[in-house]
Every structure is written in structure tokens, then in C-alpha cells.
């Protein structure tokens, strides 16, 4: 059986690890897009990366090519503005939570984990809606005709004209997900190791029963 002090130390250490992972996630891409065609292969493939706070890659080249199929690439994304604030605040809250008593640590980490999960879902929903709009709200007078409306996948592959689109999550998203899982684990671990409170009446009855049993054995 785990001792309360040991449980508290492990939970505190896990909370600190989760907070460090959140800060680390701000330095790595959240999402990658790779575009390949007969003209753009291997190292020449076009790439886009979405990081907390910015979007980078072969954006100018992609904008020029997209004129042929009428796709409009946004200059900014909502996901580059508000998610970094959520991650920073969750990281700070994680450092503070690591110093709290075990009972408060449980509720704090559950709250941080829930906030991160909701934030990821909202950001993913926004991104998928933007990609839907990019593939459907197109310039109908584009040079290349016959290209049907499409929705680039948030995760997976898609063939558009002579381009193969490949998208995947980045290391930043992985860090956030691991931190979220750690916070949930801390919550369950802390709740499962609450110190038991003895019931005085039950203890007294047990003591009397044992005394009677011992008395009968002596007779």
C-alpha cells in the first residue's frame, strides 16, 4: 500500500513534468502539411507548419499555385492567437498545483486536463472548418477547371488535382496530449490514495467483539 507522503511526492513530480511539457510544446509545431506532386517531390515538396503563435513554410509558393484551383490561404489563423495563452496559463497553474495539498492537487490537475482537452477540441474544430472553407469557397474563375470541391484532412492523406496532401500532428501537440494525460493520471492517483478516516463506533464494536471472542476461548 502506497504511503501518503510517497503518493504526494510522485503526484507533485508528475505535475511538474506536465507543466514543463506544456512550456516545451510552445517551441514545436502543432500541425504539419506536406504537398507532393510530380514537380514537387522529396526535398522539393511544399510544407506548412502551424506553431503556437505563427504559421510558416512555403506559404508564398502555395498561394501562387493555389490561384490555379481558386483556393484562398488565410494570412492568419485563430489557432495561432488564443491556444498559446491557454497553454501558458495551464503550465503556470500546473507549477502552482504541484505545491498544493494532495486533495487540492487532485481537483487542480483534473481542471487543467479538462481545459487542455476542450482547447484541443476547439482548435481542431476551427482548423477543420477553415480547411473545409478553403476547399469549398473557391474562385470559380480559376485557371484550372474540373477540380471538385474538397476538404483537406486534419490528419491523413488526400489527392487534389496532381497534388498529394499529407497532414499530421506535430511534436507540440504530442507534448500537450501527454501533459493532459499526466494531469488526469494525477487526479485519479490522488483520489485513489485518500487517507482513510476511522469510524470510532465501528472500531469500538470490533474491539468488543474481539474481547468476547477471546473470553470464550479462555473458558
Amino acid at each position: 500500500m502506497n504511503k501518503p507522503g510517497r503518493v504526494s511526492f510522485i503526484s507533485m513530480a508528475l505535475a511538474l513534468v506536465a507543466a514543463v511539457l506544456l512550456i516545451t510544446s510552445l517551441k514545436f509545431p502543432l500541425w504539419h502539411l506536406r504537398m507532393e506532386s510530380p514537380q514537387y517531390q522529396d526535398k522539393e515538396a511544399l510544407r506548412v507548419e502551424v506553431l503556437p503563435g505563427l504559421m510558416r513554410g512555403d506559404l508564398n509558393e502555395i498561394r501562387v499555385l493555389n490561384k490555379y484551383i481558386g483556393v484562398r490561404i488565410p494570412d492568419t489563423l485563430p489557432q495561432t492567437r488564443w491556444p498559446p495563452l491557454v497553454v501558458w496559463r495551464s503550465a503556470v497553474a500546473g507549477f502552482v498545483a504541484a505545491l498544493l495539498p494532495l486533495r487540492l492537487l487532485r481537483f487542480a490537475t483534473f481542471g487543467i486536463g479538462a481545459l487542455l482537452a476542450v482547447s484541443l477540441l476547439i482548435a481542431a474544430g476551427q482548423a477543420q472548418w477553415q480547411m473545409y472553407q478553403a476547399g469549398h469557397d473557391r474562385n470559380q474563375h480559376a485557371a484550372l477547371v474540373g477540380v471538385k470541391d474538397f476538404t483537406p484532412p486534419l490528419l491523413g492523406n488526400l489527392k487534389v488535382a496532381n497534388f498529394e496532401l499529407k497532414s499530421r500532428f506535430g511534436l507540440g501537440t504530442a507534448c500537450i496530449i501527454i501533459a493532459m494525460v499526466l494531469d488526469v493520471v494525477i487526479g485519479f492517483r490522488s483520489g485513489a490514495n485518500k487517507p482513510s478516516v476511522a469510524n470510532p463506533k465501528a472500531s469500538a464494536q470490533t474491539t468488543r467483539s474481539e474481547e468476547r471472542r477471546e473470553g470464550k476461548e479462555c473458558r
Side-chain angles (χ1 to χ4, degrees):
M1 185 174 181
N2 292 331
K3 296 181 179 181
R6 181 181 177 184
V7 172
S8 179
F9 175 78
I10 294 176
S11 298
M12 179 183 68
L14 291 176
L16 291 175
V17 171
V20 171
L21 283 172
L22 290 177
I23 294 177
T24 303
S25 71
L26 296 170
K27 300 181 179 180
F28 294 100
L30 300 173
W31 184 76
H32 296 272
L33 175 65
R34 178 185 175 93
M35 299 175 59
E36 290 184 324
S37 73
Q39 295 80 18
Y40 299 92
Q41 293 184 349
D42 301 326
K43 294 182 179 180
E44 299 298 324
L46 302 177
R47 295 175 174 82
V48 175
E49 291 182 340
V50 176
L51 290 85
L54 64 96
M55 181 170 59
R56 69 186 183 189
D58 303 309
L59 300 177
N60 291 332
E61 184 74 15
I62 292 173
R63 287 190 180 98
V64 172
L65 292 173
N66 280 336
K67 290 180 180 179
Y68 293 98
I69 57 176
V71 174
R72 301 177 179 87
I73 301 296
D75 295 324
T76 59
L77 298 173
Q79 297 89 326
T80 62
R81 292 195 296 268
W82 64 267
L85 297 177
V86 173
V87 172
W88 266 114
R89 291 173 181 176
S90 298
V92 172
F95 282 117
V96 174
L99 305 176
L100 296 176
L102 199 59
R103 183 181 299 178
L104 296 178
L105 175 63
R106 179 193 182 199
F107 291 106
T109 51
F110 267 140
I112 295 171
L115 176 62
L116 292 173
V118 171
S119 299
L120 283 178
L121 290 174
I122 293 175
Q126 285 182 326
Q128 190 63 73
W129 172 246
Q130 288 162 344
M131 287 189 286
Y132 173 86
Q133 288 181 312
H136 288 76
D137 184 16
R138 298 188 293 132
N139 181 7
Q140 300 303 319
H141 302 288
L144 186 61
V145 297
V147 178
K148 297 181 179 180
D149 290 343
F150 61 94
T151 304
L154 187 63
L155 185 64
N157 302 341
L158 180 68
K159 181 79 172 179
V160 179
N162 63 339
F163 274 92
E164 181 75 22
L165 309 182
K166 299 179 181 180
S167 59
R168 61 184 177 86
F169 294 125
L171 184 57
T173 299
C175 290
I176 295 174
I177 292 176
I178 294 173
M180 179 181 65
V181 171
L182 284 178
D183 283 327
V184 173
V185 169
I186 294 167
F188 280 114
R189 183 181 179 86
S190 302
N193 291 276
K194 287 182 179 180
S196 59
V197 179
N199 188 333
K201 293 183 179 179
S203 300
Q205 291 177 356
T206 302
T207 303
R208 293 195 198 100
S209 299
E210 291 177 352
E211 290 176 352
R212 291 188 191 127
R213 193 180 303 112
E214 290 176 358
K216 291 180 180 179
E217 290 177 356
C218 291
R219 292 174 187 174

